[in-house]
Amino acid sequence: MKKVLAFLLTVVLVVSASVCVAFAASSPEAQGVISGVTATDANDKEALIKFEKIDGKVNKNFYNTLQGLKDEEKDSTLKVVGHFEVEVDGKPEYPLTVTLDVLGISKSSKVFVMLQKGKETVAVEPTVKDGKVVFELDEKYDKMALVTDGKTATKVEKENDVLSPQTFDATIYVMMIAVMAMAVIFVTKKVKA
C-alpha cells in the first residue's frame, strides 16, 4: 500500500510541476522595441492605440519608401527596427499625438516613422526626447515601421534583447525531481526486502 501511495504522490508531483511550466508567463518581447505607448486626440483626450509586432521583412511599399528615404537623407545605414500593425480603438478626433517609449534612442539619433494605409506609404520625422518618439497621426493607418540610423539600430536591438529574456524553462528540474522520487521508491523497496 505504501508503495502505491508513494508512486501516486510522485505522479501528482510530476504532473503539477509540469502544469506550472506549461502556464509560465510569456516573454515581454511581444511589443518588439516599443516598451510603452500613449496617445491623445485633438481634444487632448486619451486615445487607445495598439501596435502589434509583425515578424518578418517589411512589405514592398515600406521597402520602396525606405530606399527613397536612404537616398534623400544620404544615409545608407537607415534600418527598420520595428514593424507593426496599427489598431486604434473607437473613433478619436484626429490628429492623434502618439508617444512611443523606445530604449536605445537618444536625441542624437536619426529616427523616422513610416506609415502605411492601403498601398500608400508616408515617412515622417518624429520628435525624439529621452527615449521617447513623438509623432502625429493625421488619419487612421494600417501599419507602422520605425526606422533609425545604423548605430541607433544596434543600440535599440541590444536594449530590446536585455528587456526580453526567455521564459524560464523548468523542464530539466521537473525531470530530476521525478527521477529522484522514483529512486527513493526503489531504494525503499530494496531496504524492506
Side-chain angles (χ1 to χ4, degrees), residues 4 8 10 12 19 61 68 89 93 99 136 139 141:
V4 173
L8 289 174
T10 303
V12 168
V19 168
N61 298 317
D89 290 346
E93 188 77 28
T99 304
E136 282 197 353
E139 60 180 307
Y141 288 93

Side-chain angles (χ1 to χ4, degrees), residues 86-174:
V86 181
E87 188 179 316
V88 179
D89 290 346
K91 295 184 178 182
E93 188 77 28
Y94 285 89
L96 303 182
T97 302
V98 180
T99 304
L100 307 176
D101 296 328
V102 184
L103 289 177
I105 289 182
S106 63
K107 62 182 176 183
S108 63
S109 301
K110 193 181 285 188
V111 181
F112 297 93
V113 175
M114 293 192 302
L115 301 162
Q116 182 179 339
K117 182 178 185 179
K119 292 185 177 182
E120 180 188 338
T121 307
V122 296
V124 295
E125 191 167 1
T127 304
V128 177
K129 184 179 179 184
D130 301 327
K132 295 185 184 303
V133 176
V134 183
F135 62 96
E136 282 197 353
L137 289 178
D138 54 358
E139 60 180 307
K140 189 173 182 177
Y141 288 93
D142 305 319
K143 294 181 174 64
M144 187 268 288
L146 192 61
V147 177
T148 67
D149 59 274
K151 187 177 178 183
T152 301
T154 302
K155 284 172 56 181
V156 168
E157 288 166 357
K158 185 177 178 183
E159 293 283 351
N160 188 50
D161 285 344
V162 171
L163 278 182
S164 302
Q166 293 296 316
T167 303
F168 177 70
D169 184 9
T171 307
I172 190 73
Y173 300 111
V174 171

Side-chain angles (χ1 to χ4, degrees), residues 5 15 20 38 48 69 76 79 128 137 145 162 165 180:
L5 182 61
V15 170
C20 292
T38 56
L48 296 175
L69 203 53
S76 62
K79 180 180 178 184
V128 177
L137 289 178
V162 171
M180 285 189 283

